[in-house]
Amino acid sequence: MARVWSEEHKLERWLEVELAALDAWAELGVIPDTVARTAREHAVPPTPERVRELEERTGHDLAAFVDAVGESLDADGRRWLHYGLTSSDVLDTALALQVREAGALLMEGLDRASDAVVARAEEHRRTLIMGRTHGIHAEPTTFGLKLAGWAFELDRGRTRLARALEGMRVGKLSGAVGTYSATGPELERLACERLGLEPAPHSTQVIQRDRHAELLTVLAVVASSLDAFCLEIRHLARTEVREVEEPFAAGQKGSSAMPHKRNPITAERICGLARVVRGAAHVGLENVALWHERDISHSSAERVVIPDAFLALDYMLDRFAWLVDGLVVHAERMRENLDASHGLYFSQRLLLALVESGLERDEAYRLVQRLAMEAWDGGRDFRELAAADGVAARVDLATVFDLEPYMRHVDVVFERLEVLRKETIDA
């Protein structure tokens, strides 16, 4: 990913666009075939240092680039290089090439992260864990189901990213304000075809920035999903909960002051970087509104946020896959926490059983609520209190206080996950 966004590679892509335009001019008969062929044989991507050196004089990076490339060409090559083009024809089209490369790397990262999540989900398909709402014990679920939810969310992120990348797979060689006055739609078509891009159906002097805003927003959504998953890991790793732990290598130190510490630093790092990627999305949205056919208020910001967003998310996906692969799962602690609330999570099952037995819903609710508060406040077993209160005369407590119903339909979700995985592989 660092290579894709390096200055060296950017200049390589700029040259690729310039040479595609020369090839197209030759095919249209505007310039001799020999000019385009000779230029392709001899043109060398200039070094960033040489471009900066020339830019000191020109005050224009693309103009400096053209001059630097011209140093490796003969007179005819220099004459026709950049013919009819404006800077953004090269900049925006080359950016689309970089985004395509970077996007492919992110898709691979998403696949690796998803593979890691699915493998651990299968491993813990029936590992019971307390489900929490508002941070409070609710009803049991399984750790596998929790992870399966992450897998479905990653797949939605993959779909969104593929759509946004397709929206960026366009180039433009329509000239100064998009009227083709010095180029022509056929030149644009031929050059874009060589580059594996579609001609933008309409462009001004730039490709409109709603495409870039969509892309950055999608990166932010994927980053926010990783943020949510890692926040859950951080909560489950708290001392009072201690249901999972991050991998901790031999010789690693969790704190410079406290030798006992084993902190969820990778999850925290991912959460922190998600804020950076969301910030990039905000910049992308700000860049949509430009003056008339163009200004360059977007340019300086994009040079920072687009590479940074891709680099950050690439790193986040890599670290997240590593984190999930090595996550230490304390199933026995999950069961201890399940039992810590004295069986109160059976309250809904008891409520429904009492309703089925003939009690009015509100009467049944008040009865179960009273027993639940007694159990919680007194630290007593909820089932024993229900039995002592005579509830056993109305319902079968063995059926009510049974954990199996919480896992009864787990396989249905995993069957859906299998279908999803097959569709992804086939695609």
Side-chain angles (χ1 to χ4, degrees), residues 229-301:
F229 307 154
C230 288
L231 184 63
E232 179 70 8
I233 289 171
R234 290 166 59 194
H235 278 309
L236 297 182
R238 287 181 299 125
T239 303
E240 296 83 355
V241 181
R242 207 171 55 82
E243 294 177 350
V244 302
E245 281 184 83
E246 281 196 8
F248 197 84
Q252 184 177 342
K253 293 183 178 182
S255 165
S256 63
M258 297 170 284
H260 73 279
K261 296 281 280 178
R262 297 176 68 166
N263 303 323
I265 57 172
T266 301
E268 290 173 335
R269 193 180 306 151
I270 291 170
C271 289
L273 286 172
R275 300 166 190 171
V276 173
V277 184
R278 285 194 290 268
H282 177 77
V283 174
L285 293 168
E286 291 288 330
N287 283 345
V288 174
L290 302 177
W291 283 24
H292 304 297
E293 276 59 55
R294 78 164 294 194
D295 63 55
I296 61 167
S297 60
H298 66 287
S299 177
S300 55

Coordinates of all heavy atoms in Angstrom, one line a residue, residues 229-301:
F229 N -16.1 -3.6 16.3 CA -15.7 -5.0 16.7 C -14.6 -4.9 17.8 O -14.6 -5.6 18.8 CB -15.1 -5.7 15.5 CG -16.0 -5.8 14.3 CD1 -15.5 -5.9 13.0 CD2 -17.4 -5.7 14.4 CE1 -16.3 -6.0 11.9 CE2 -18.2 -5.7 13.3 CZ -17.7 -5.9 12.0
C230 N -13.7 -4.0 17.6 CA -12.6 -3.8 18.6 C -13.0 -3.2 19.9 O -12.5 -3.6 20.9 CB -11.4 -3.0 17.9 SG -10.6 -3.9 16.7
L231 N -14.0 -2.4 19.8 CA -14.6 -1.8 21.1 C -15.2 -3.0 21.9 O -15.1 -3.0 23.1 CB -15.6 -0.8 20.8 CG -16.3 -0.1 22.0 CD1 -15.2 0.7 22.7 CD2 -17.4 0.9 21.5
E232 N -15.9 -3.9 21.2 CA -16.5 -5.1 21.9 C -15.4 -5.9 22.5 O -15.5 -6.4 23.6 CB -17.3 -5.9 20.9 CG -17.9 -7.2 21.4 CD -19.0 -6.9 22.4 OE1 -19.4 -5.7 22.5 OE2 -19.5 -7.8 23.0
I233 N -14.3 -6.1 21.7 CA -13.1 -6.9 22.3 C -12.6 -6.2 23.5 O -12.3 -6.9 24.6 CB -12.1 -7.1 21.2 CG1 -12.5 -8.1 20.1 CG2 -10.7 -7.6 21.9 CD1 -11.6 -8.1 18.9
R234 N -12.5 -4.9 23.5 CA -12.0 -4.2 24.6 C -12.9 -4.3 25.8 O -12.4 -4.5 27.0 CB -11.8 -2.7 24.3 CG -10.7 -2.4 23.3 CD -10.8 -1.0 22.7 NE -10.8 0.0 23.7 CZ -11.1 1.3 23.5 NH1 -11.5 1.7 22.3 NH2 -11.0 2.2 24.5
H235 N -14.2 -4.2 25.6 CA -15.1 -4.4 26.7 C -15.0 -5.8 27.3 O -15.0 -6.0 28.6 CB -16.6 -4.2 26.3 CG -16.9 -2.7 26.2 ND1 -16.7 -1.9 27.3 CD2 -17.5 -2.0 25.3 CE1 -17.2 -0.7 27.0 NE2 -17.6 -0.7 25.7
L236 N -14.9 -6.8 26.4 CA -14.9 -8.2 26.9 C -13.5 -8.5 27.6 O -13.4 -9.5 28.3 CB -15.1 -9.2 25.8 CG -16.5 -9.1 25.1 CD1 -16.6 -10.1 24.0 CD2 -17.6 -9.3 26.1
A237 N -12.5 -7.7 27.3 CA -11.2 -7.9 27.9 C -11.0 -7.2 29.3 O -10.0 -7.4 30.0 CB -10.1 -7.4 27.0
R238 N -12.0 -6.4 29.7 CA -11.9 -5.7 31.0 C -11.7 -6.7 32.1 O -12.3 -7.8 32.1 CB -13.1 -4.8 31.2 CG -13.1 -3.6 30.3 CD -14.3 -2.7 30.6 NE -15.6 -3.4 30.4 CZ -16.6 -3.5 31.2 NH1 -16.4 -3.1 32.5 NH2 -17.7 -4.1 30.9
T239 N -11.0 -6.3 33.1 CA -10.7 -7.2 34.2 C -12.0 -7.8 34.8 O -12.0 -9.0 35.2 CB -9.9 -6.4 35.3 OG1 -8.7 -5.9 34.8 CG2 -9.6 -7.3 36.5
E240 N -13.0 -6.9 35.0 CA -14.2 -7.4 35.6 C -15.0 -8.4 34.7 O -15.8 -9.2 35.2 CB -15.2 -6.2 35.9 CG -14.7 -5.2 36.9 CD -13.7 -4.2 36.3 OE1 -13.4 -4.3 35.1 OE2 -13.3 -3.3 37.0
V241 N -14.7 -8.4 33.4 CA -15.4 -9.3 32.5 C -14.4 -10.5 32.1 O -14.8 -11.7 32.3 CB -15.8 -8.6 31.2 CG1 -16.5 -9.5 30.2 CG2 -16.7 -7.4 31.6
R242 N -13.3 -10.2 31.6 CA -12.2 -11.1 31.3 C -12.6 -12.4 30.5 O -12.3 -13.5 30.8 CB -11.5 -11.5 32.6 CG -10.0 -12.0 32.4 CD -9.3 -12.2 33.7 NE -10.0 -13.1 34.6 CZ -9.9 -14.5 34.5 NH1 -9.1 -15.0 33.6 NH2 -10.6 -15.2 35.3
E243 N -13.4 -12.1 29.5 CA -13.9 -13.2 28.6 C -13.0 -13.5 27.4 O -13.0 -14.6 26.9 CB -15.3 -13.0 28.2 CG -16.3 -13.0 29.4 CD -17.7 -12.6 29.0 OE1 -18.0 -12.2 27.9 OE2 -18.6 -12.8 29.9
V244 N -12.2 -12.4 27.0 CA -11.3 -12.6 25.9 C -10.0 -11.8 26.3 O -10.0 -10.9 27.2 CB -11.8 -12.1 24.6 CG1 -13.1 -12.8 24.2 CG2 -12.0 -10.6 24.6
E245 N -8.9 -12.2 25.6 CA -7.7 -11.4 25.8 C -7.0 -11.3 24.4 O -7.1 -12.2 23.6 CB -6.7 -12.2 26.7 CG -6.9 -12.0 28.2 CD -5.8 -12.8 28.9 OE1 -4.8 -12.1 29.1 OE2 -6.1 -13.9 29.3
E246 N -6.3 -10.2 24.2 CA -5.5 -10.1 23.0 C -4.3 -11.1 23.1 O -3.9 -11.4 24.2 CB -4.9 -8.7 22.8 CG -5.9 -7.7 22.3 CD -5.3 -6.4 21.8 OE1 -4.0 -6.4 21.8 OE2 -6.0 -5.5 21.5
P247 N -3.8 -11.5 21.9 CA -2.5 -12.3 22.0 C -1.4 -11.5 22.7 O -1.3 -10.3 22.5 CB -2.2 -12.4 20.5 CG -3.4 -12.2 19.7 CD -4.2 -11.2 20.5
F248 N -0.7 -12.2 23.5 CA 0.4 -11.5 24.2 C 1.7 -12.3 24.1 O 1.8 -13.5 24.5 CB 0.0 -11.4 25.7 CG 0.8 -10.4 26.5 CD1 0.5 -9.1 26.6 CD2 1.9 -10.8 27.3 CE1 1.2 -8.2 27.3 CE2 2.7 -9.9 28.0 CZ 2.3 -8.6 28.0
A249 N 2.7 -11.7 23.4 CA 3.9 -12.5 23.0 C 4.8 -12.6 24.2 O 4.8 -11.8 25.1 CB 4.6 -11.7 21.8
A250 N 5.6 -13.7 24.1 CA 6.7 -13.9 25.1 C 7.6 -12.7 25.1 O 8.1 -12.2 24.0 CB 7.5 -15.1 24.8
G251 N 7.9 -12.1 26.2 CA 8.8 -11.0 26.3 C 8.1 -9.6 26.2 O 8.7 -8.6 26.4
Q252 N 6.8 -9.6 25.8 CA 6.1 -8.4 25.6 C 5.8 -7.8 27.0 O 5.7 -8.5 28.0 CB 4.7 -8.7 24.9 CG 3.9 -7.4 24.7 CD 2.6 -7.7 23.9 OE1 2.5 -8.8 23.3 NE2 1.7 -6.8 23.9
K253 N 5.8 -6.4 27.0 CA 5.5 -5.7 28.3 C 4.2 -4.9 28.1 O 4.1 -4.1 27.1 CB 6.7 -4.8 28.6 CG 7.9 -5.5 29.0 CD 9.0 -4.6 29.5 CE 10.3 -5.3 29.9 NZ 11.3 -4.4 30.4
G254 N 3.3 -5.1 29.0 CA 2.0 -4.4 28.9 C 2.1 -3.0 29.5 O 1.2 -2.1 29.2
S255 N 3.0 -2.7 30.4 CA 3.1 -1.4 31.0 C 4.5 -1.2 31.4 O 5.2 -2.1 31.9 CB 2.1 -1.3 32.2 OG 2.4 -0.2 33.0
S256 N 5.0 0.1 31.3 CA 6.3 0.4 31.8 C 6.4 0.4 33.3 O 7.5 0.2 33.9 CB 6.8 1.7 31.3 OG 6.0 2.7 31.7
A257 N 5.2 0.5 34.0 CA 5.2 0.7 35.4 C 4.7 -0.5 36.1 O 5.1 -0.9 37.3 CB 4.4 1.9 35.8
M258 N 3.7 -1.2 35.5 CA 2.9 -2.3 36.2 C 3.1 -3.6 35.5 O 2.5 -3.8 34.4 CB 1.4 -1.9 36.3 CG 1.2 -0.7 37.1 SD -0.6 -0.1 36.9 CE -0.5 0.7 35.3
P259 N 4.0 -4.5 36.0 CA 4.3 -5.7 35.2 C 3.1 -6.7 35.0 O 3.2 -7.5 34.1 CB 5.3 -6.4 36.2 CG 5.9 -5.2 36.9 CD 4.8 -4.3 37.1
H260 N 2.0 -6.5 35.8 CA 0.9 -7.4 35.6 C 0.0 -7.1 34.4 O -0.8 -7.9 34.0 CB 0.0 -7.4 36.8 CG -0.8 -6.1 37.0 ND1 -0.3 -4.9 37.4 CD2 -2.1 -5.9 36.6 CE1 -1.3 -4.0 37.4 NE2 -2.4 -4.5 36.9
K261 N 0.2 -5.9 33.7 CA -0.7 -5.4 32.7 C -0.6 -6.2 31.4 O 0.5 -6.4 30.9 CB -0.5 -4.0 32.5 CG -0.7 -3.1 33.7 CD -2.2 -2.8 33.8 CE -2.7 -1.8 32.9 NZ -4.1 -1.5 33.0
R262 N -1.8 -6.6 30.8 CA -1.9 -7.1 29.5 C -3.0 -6.4 28.8 O -4.2 -6.8 28.9 CB -2.1 -8.6 29.6 CG -1.0 -9.4 30.2 CD -1.2 -10.9 30.3 NE -1.3 -11.6 29.1 CZ -1.2 -12.9 28.9 NH1 -1.1 -13.6 30.0 NH2 -1.3 -13.4 27.7
N263 N -2.7 -5.3 28.2 CA -3.7 -4.3 27.7 C -4.1 -4.6 26.3 O -3.3 -5.2 25.5 CB -3.1 -2.9 27.8 CG -2.7 -2.5 29.2 OD1 -3.3 -2.9 30.1 ND2 -1.6 -1.8 29.2
P264 N -5.4 -4.3 25.9 CA -5.9 -4.5 24.5 C -5.4 -3.4 23.6 O -6.2 -2.7 23.0 CB -7.4 -4.5 24.7 CG -7.6 -3.5 25.9 CD -6.4 -3.7 26.8
I265 N -4.1 -3.3 23.4 CA -3.5 -2.2 22.7 C -3.8 -2.2 21.2 O -3.9 -1.1 20.6 CB -2.0 -2.1 23.0 CG1 -1.3 -3.3 22.6 CG2 -1.7 -1.7 24.4 CD1 0.2 -3.2 22.6
T266 N -3.9 -3.4 20.6 CA -4.1 -3.5 19.2 C -5.5 -3.0 18.9 O -5.8 -2.3 18.0 CB -3.9 -4.9 18.7 OG1 -2.5 -5.2 18.9 CG2 -4.1 -4.9 17.2
A267 N -6.5 -3.5 19.7 CA -7.9 -3.1 19.5 C -8.0 -1.6 19.7 O -8.7 -0.9 19.0 CB -8.8 -3.8 20.5
E268 N -7.3 -1.0 20.7 CA -7.4 0.4 21.0 C -6.8 1.2 19.8 O -7.2 2.2 19.4 CB -6.6 0.7 22.3 CG -7.3 0.3 23.5 CD -6.5 0.4 24.8 OE1 -5.3 0.5 24.7 OE2 -7.1 0.5 25.9
R269 N -5.7 0.6 19.2 CA -5.0 1.3 18.1 C -6.0 1.4 16.9 O -6.1 2.4 16.2 CB -3.8 0.5 17.7 CG -2.8 1.3 16.8 CD -1.6 0.4 16.5 NE -1.0 0.0 17.7 CZ -0.3 -1.2 17.9 NH1 -0.2 -2.0 16.9 NH2 0.3 -1.5 19.0
I270 N -6.7 0.3 16.7 CA -7.6 0.2 15.6 C -8.8 1.2 15.8 O -9.2 1.9 14.9 CB -8.2 -1.2 15.4 CG1 -7.1 -2.1 14.8 CG2 -9.4 -1.2 14.4 CD1 -7.4 -3.6 14.9
C271 N -9.3 1.3 17.0 CA -10.3 2.2 17.3 C -9.8 3.7 17.1 O -10.6 4.5 16.6 CB -10.8 2.1 18.8 SG -11.7 0.6 19.1
G272 N -8.6 4.0 17.5 CA -8.1 5.3 17.3 C -7.9 5.6 15.8 O -8.3 6.8 15.4
L273 N -7.4 4.7 15.0 CA -7.3 5.0 13.6 C -8.6 5.2 12.8 O -8.6 5.8 11.8 CB -6.4 3.9 12.9 CG -4.9 3.9 13.3 CD1 -4.2 2.7 12.7 CD2 -4.3 5.2 12.7
A274 N -9.6 4.5 13.4 CA -11.0 4.7 12.7 C -11.3 6.2 12.7 O -12.0 6.7 11.8 CB -12.0 3.9 13.5
R275 N -10.9 6.9 13.8 CA -11.2 8.3 13.8 C -10.5 9.1 12.7 O -11.1 10.1 12.2 CB -10.8 8.9 15.2 CG -11.5 8.2 16.4 CD -10.9 8.5 17.7 NE -11.4 7.7 18.7 CZ -11.0 7.6 20.0 NH1 -9.9 8.3 20.3 NH2 -11.5 6.8 20.9
V276 N -9.3 8.7 12.4 CA -8.6 9.3 11.3 C -9.3 9.1 10.0 O -9.4 10.0 9.2 CB -7.1 8.7 11.2 CG1 -6.4 9.2 10.0 CG2 -6.4 9.0 12.5
V277 N -9.8 7.8 9.7 CA -10.4 7.5 8.5 C -11.8 8.3 8.4 O -12.1 8.8 7.3 CB -10.6 6.0 8.3 CG1 -11.2 5.7 6.9 CG2 -9.2 5.3 8.4
R278 N -12.5 8.4 9.5 CA -13.7 9.1 9.5 C -13.4 10.6 9.2 O -14.2 11.3 8.5 CB -14.5 9.0 10.8 CG -15.1 7.6 10.9 CD -16.1 7.6 12.1 NE -15.5 7.7 13.4 CZ -15.1 6.6 14.1 NH1 -15.3 5.4 13.6 NH2 -14.5 6.7 15.3
G279 N -12.3 11.1 9.7 CA -11.9 12.5 9.4 C -11.7 12.7 7.9 O -12.0 13.7 7.3
A280 N -11.1 11.7 7.2 CA -10.9 11.8 5.8 C -12.2 11.8 5.0 O -12.3 12.5 4.0 CB -10.0 10.6 5.3
A281 N -13.2 11.1 5.5 CA -14.5 11.1 4.9 C -15.1 12.5 4.9 O -15.7 13.0 3.9 CB -15.4 10.1 5.5
H282 N -14.9 13.2 6.0 CA -15.4 14.6 6.2 C -14.7 15.5 5.1 O -15.4 16.3 4.5 CB -15.1 15.1 7.6 CG -15.6 16.5 7.8 ND1 -16.9 16.9 7.9 CD2 -14.8 17.7 7.8 CE1 -16.9 18.2 8.1 NE2 -15.7 18.7 8.0
V283 N -13.4 15.3 5.0 CA -12.7 16.1 4.0 C -13.3 15.8 2.6 O -13.5 16.7 1.7 CB -11.2 15.9 4.0 CG1 -10.5 16.6 2.9 CG2 -10.7 16.3 5.4
G284 N -13.5 14.5 2.3 CA -14.0 14.2 1.0 C -15.4 14.8 0.7 O -15.6 15.3 -0.4
L285 N -16.2 14.9 1.7 CA -17.5 15.6 1.5 C -17.3 17.1 1.3 O -18.0 17.7 0.5 CB -18.4 15.3 2.7 CG -18.8 13.8 2.9 CD1 -19.4 13.6 4.2 CD2 -19.8 13.4 1.8
E286 N -16.4 17.7 2.0 CA -16.1 19.1 1.8 C -15.6 19.4 0.4 O -15.8 20.4 -0.2 CB -15.1 19.6 2.8 CG -15.6 19.6 4.2 CD -16.6 20.7 4.5 OE1 -16.5 21.8 3.8 OE2 -17.4 20.6 5.4
N287 N -14.9 18.4 -0.2 CA -14.3 18.6 -1.5 C -15.3 18.5 -2.7 O -15.0 18.8 -3.8 CB -13.2 17.5 -1.8 CG -12.0 17.8 -1.0 OD1 -11.8 18.9 -0.5 ND2 -11.1 16.9 -0.9
V288 N -16.6 18.1 -2.4 CA -17.5 18.0 -3.5 C -17.9 19.4 -4.1 O -18.0 19.5 -5.3 CB -18.8 17.3 -3.0 CG1 -19.9 17.3 -4.1 CG2 -18.5 15.9 -2.6
A289 N -17.9 20.4 -3.2 CA -18.3 21.7 -3.7 C -17.1 22.5 -4.2 O -16.3 23.0 -3.4 CB -19.0 22.5 -2.6
L290 N -17.0 22.7 -5.5 CA -15.9 23.4 -6.1 C -16.5 24.6 -6.9 O -17.6 24.5 -7.4 CB -15.0 22.5 -7.0 CG -14.4 21.3 -6.3 CD1 -13.7 20.5 -7.4 CD2 -13.5 21.7 -5.2
W291 N -15.7 25.6 -7.1 CA -16.1 26.8 -7.9 C -16.2 26.4 -9.4 O -15.3 26.0 -10.0 CB -15.1 27.9 -7.7 CG -15.2 28.6 -6.4 CD1 -15.7 28.2 -5.2 CD2 -14.8 30.0 -6.1 NE1 -15.6 29.1 -4.2 CE2 -15.1 30.2 -4.8 CE3 -14.2 31.0 -6.9 CZ2 -14.8 31.4 -4.2 CZ3 -13.9 32.2 -6.3 CH2 -14.2 32.4 -5.0
H292 N -17.4 26.7 -9.9 CA -17.6 26.7 -11.4 C -17.1 25.3 -12.0 O -17.4 24.3 -11.5 CB -16.9 27.9 -12.1 CG -17.4 29.2 -11.5 ND1 -18.8 29.6 -11.6 CD2 -16.8 30.2 -10.9 CE1 -18.9 30.7 -11.1 NE2 -17.7 31.1 -10.6
E293 N -16.2 25.4 -13.0 CA -15.7 24.2 -13.6 C -14.6 23.5 -12.8 O -14.2 22.4 -13.1 CB -15.3 24.4 -15.1 CG -16.4 24.4 -16.1 CD -17.5 25.4 -15.8 OE1 -17.2 26.6 -15.7 OE2 -18.7 24.9 -15.6
R294 N -14.0 24.3 -12.0 CA -13.0 23.7 -11.1 C -12.4 24.8 -10.2 O -12.3 26.0 -10.6 CB -11.8 23.0 -11.8 CG -10.8 24.0 -12.4 CD -9.5 23.3 -12.7 NE -8.8 22.8 -11.6 CZ -7.5 22.4 -11.7 NH1 -6.9 22.5 -12.8 NH2 -6.9 22.0 -10.6
D295 N -11.9 24.4 -9.0 CA -10.8 25.2 -8.4 C -9.9 24.1 -7.8 O -10.1 22.9 -8.1 CB -11.4 26.1 -7.3 CG -12.1 25.4 -6.2 OD1 -11.5 24.4 -5.6 OD2 -13.2 25.7 -5.9
I296 N -8.9 24.4 -7.1 CA -8.0 23.4 -6.6 C -8.0 23.3 -5.1 O -7.1 22.8 -4.4 CB -6.5 23.6 -7.1 CG1 -5.9 24.9 -6.6 CG2 -6.5 23.4 -8.6 CD1 -4.4 24.9 -6.8
S297 N -9.1 23.7 -4.5 CA -9.2 23.6 -3.0 C -9.2 22.1 -2.6 O -8.8 21.8 -1.5 CB -10.4 24.3 -2.5 OG -11.6 23.8 -3.1
H298 N -9.7 21.3 -3.5 CA -9.7 19.8 -3.2 C -8.4 19.2 -3.2 O -8.1 18.2 -2.5 CB -10.7 19.1 -4.1 CG -10.1 19.1 -5.5 ND1 -10.1 20.2 -6.3 CD2 -9.5 18.1 -6.3 CE1 -9.6 19.9 -7.5 NE2 -9.2 18.7 -7.5
S299 N -7.5 19.7 -4.1 CA -6.2 19.1 -4.4 C -5.3 18.9 -3.2 O -4.8 17.8 -3.0 CB -5.5 19.8 -5.5 OG -4.3 19.2 -5.8
S300 N -5.1 19.9 -2.5 CA -4.1 19.8 -1.4 C -4.6 18.9 -0.3 O -3.9 18.1 0.3 CB -3.9 21.2 -0.8 OG -5.1 21.8 -0.4
A301 N -6.0 18.9 -0.1 CA -6.6 18.0 0.9 C -6.5 16.6 0.5 O -6.2 15.7 1.3 CB -8.0 18.5 1.2

